[in-house]
């Protein structure tokens, strides 16, 4: 059983034509939907609002095979992000977090929603920077996560919402001591280790506890850093509609592929399966870029592609 914790929100997307479109979003939310579409039936540990946007988010989870485990909707309005799409398809964000649903998750509700028999937990995003959910996730990882469960972290750093950089880095350092896999982008590493070349910064994360660091760099090669070894895979060339949700799809696909083949924490130091999962994740992220908004592919769409043959059962 895979669980994903973090924020769900609504992306208000401003296109180059000036039109505004509301779409479901949030890094962990997108990750959970990716895992669901790839057939793994995950659980989402996040707070949704009772408002219309909250109902839209709930419907998206239901449609993609994701179970919402946190009971009861929040009275606060849905969290919003304003996404402006550039000419190259990249997105720049502004977030509206204060007094909204995604941040309002206290530890008792989070711990109570963690399913028995959980084999993997994915956490990250804005939820590592906003209270009270950040403290709740920190505590869950430290005291409530079964020792055998694989922990994957995607910080997805958003400097505009990090009020106290030192406190954020201290929390992330605590979490990384328990983490098994860390997925970061070049932009994340620019924030976490300014002035350090991305490969050096990624390799440096291994010394903090993880067995594996995954590094994405847009259309350039995706890399996997293991102790003493670096693996890489080409990212398929595609016609980009936008890049919204591509990194989230990458992490979700890696975890779905890994869990779907019965692999565990102990397998993360084996180059062969890491290489296969890396290639599979790059395929899913690239396909996500061909659609407008965070719309990862379904399992049937990746069947037969490199990394997905044979497909997940």
């Amino acid at each position: 059983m895979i669980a994903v914790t973090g924020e769900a929100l609504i992306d208000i997307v401003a296109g180059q034509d000036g039109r505004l479109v509301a779409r479901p979003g949030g890094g962990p939310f997108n990750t959970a939907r990716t895992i669901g579409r790839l057939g793994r039936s995950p659980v989402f540990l996040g707070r949704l609002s009772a408002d219309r946007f909250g109902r839209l988010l709930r419907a998206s989870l239901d449609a993609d095979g994701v179970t919402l485990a946190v009971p009861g909707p929040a009275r606060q309005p849905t969290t919003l992000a304003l996404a402006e799409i550039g000419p190259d398809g990249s997105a720049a964000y502004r977030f509206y977090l204060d007094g909204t649903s995604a941040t309002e998750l206290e530890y008792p509700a989070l711990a109570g929603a963690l399913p028995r028999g959980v084999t993997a937990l994915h956490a990250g995003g804005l939820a590592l920077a906003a209270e009270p959910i950040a403290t709740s996730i920190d505590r869950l990882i430290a005291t409530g996560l079964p020792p055998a469960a694989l922990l994957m972290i995607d910080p997805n750093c958003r400097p505009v919402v990090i009020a106290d950089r030192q406190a954020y880095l201290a929390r992330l350092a605590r979490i990384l001591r328990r983490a098994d896999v860390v997925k970061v982008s070049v932009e994340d590493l620019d924030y976490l280790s300014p002035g350090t070349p991305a490969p050096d910064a990624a390799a440096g994360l291994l010394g903090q506890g993880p067995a594996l660091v995954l590094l994405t760099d847009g259309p350039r090669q995706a890399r996997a850093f293991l102790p003493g070894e670096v693996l890489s895979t080409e990212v398929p060339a595609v016609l980009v509609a936008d890049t919204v949700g591509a990194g989230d799809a990458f992490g979700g696909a890696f975890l779905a592929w890994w869990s779907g083949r019965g692999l565990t924490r102990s397998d993360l130091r084996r180059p062969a399966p890491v290489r296969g999962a890396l290639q599979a994740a790059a395929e899913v992220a690239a396909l996500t870029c061909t659609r407008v908004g965070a719309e990862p592919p379904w399992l049937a769409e990746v069947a037969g592609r490199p990394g997905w043959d044979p497909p997940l059962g």
Side-chain angles (χ1 to χ4, degrees), residues 1-86:
M1 170 64 74
I2 303 174
V4 179
T5 186
E7 75 276 0
L9 51 78
I10 291 292
D11 285 329
I12 307 297
V13 182
Q16 295 184 58
D17 58 3
R19 291 188 298 173
L20 299 178
V21 180
R23 295 194 178 94
F29 179 86
N30 296 337
T31 298
R33 291 178 60 223
T34 301
I35 296 168
R37 289 189 176 194
L38 293 175
R40 303 315 304 160
S41 302
V43 169
F44 182 65
L45 311 178
R47 180 72 79 185
L48 304 186
S49 175
D51 64 18
R52 186 171 181 178
F53 281 151
R55 295 193 296 273
L56 174 61
L57 292 169
R58 175 63 183 265
S60 295
L61 293 177
D62 290 344
D64 292 337
V66 183
T67 300
L68 179 63
V70 176
R75 57 179 176 79
Q76 293 84 359
T78 295
T79 304
L80 300 178
L82 177 61
E84 298 184 41
I85 307 300

Side-chain angles (χ1 to χ4, degrees), residues 52-300:
R52 186 171 181 178
F53 281 151
R55 295 193 296 273
L56 174 61
L57 292 169
R58 175 63 183 265
S60 295
L61 293 177
D62 290 344
D64 292 337
V66 183
T67 300
L68 179 63
V70 176
R75 57 179 176 79
Q76 293 84 359
T78 295
T79 304
L80 300 178
L82 177 61
E84 298 184 41
I85 307 300
D88 62 349
S90 64
Y93 293 91
R94 296 181 182 180
F95 300 96
Y96 299 87
L97 298 174
D98 291 347
T100 63
S101 57
T103 65
E104 298 302 315
L105 185 56
E106 300 281 359
Y107 177 74
L110 177 59
L114 187 70
R116 292 184 179 181
V118 64
T119 56
L121 175 68
H122 181 288
L126 301 176
L128 299 184
E131 295 293 358
I133 190 174
T135 294
S136 301
I137 292 175
D138 192 354
R139 183 178 171 189
L140 180 74
I141 289 170
T143 65
L145 188 63
L150 186 155
L151 176 61
M152 184 174 185
I153 299 295
D154 181 356
N156 199 5
C157 302
R158 303 294 186 185
V160 294
V161 304
I162 300 173
D164 186 334
R165 185 173 186 273
Q166 292 307 311
Y168 174 82
L169 293 178
R171 171 180 291 120
L172 188 58
R174 287 194 300 273
I175 290 172
L176 291 184
R177 286 196 289 270
R178 169 59 179 86
D180 299 296
V181 183
V182 180
K183 182 270 168 189
V184 286
S185 66
V186 168
E187 292 77 13
D188 291 331
L189 293 178
D190 283 342
Y191 179 78
L192 296 174
S193 301
T196 303
D200 295 340
L205 290 176
L206 286 174
Q208 299 187 44
L212 176 65
V213 175
L214 304 173
L215 175 61
T216 60
D217 188 13
R220 289 162 287 279
Q221 286 186 333
R223 285 168 281 182
F225 292 75
L226 298 86
E229 187 168 10
V230 180
L231 309 176
S232 64
T233 190
E234 297 294 332
V235 175
V238 296
L239 181 61
V240 175
D242 66 44
T243 64
V244 176
D248 311 323
F250 183 98
F254 186 97
L255 192 53
W257 191 98
W258 198 262
S259 297
R261 283 166 170 75
L263 299 168
T264 66
R265 297 178 72 191
S266 63
D267 297 302
L268 289 168
R269 297 185 186 276
R270 296 171 51 206
V274 170
R275 190 186 304 276
L278 184 70
Q279 186 176 36
E283 286 281 348
V284 169
L287 283 174
T288 303
C289 291
T290 66
R291 299 110 185 270
V292 175
E295 292 295 336
W298 295 83
L299 185 58

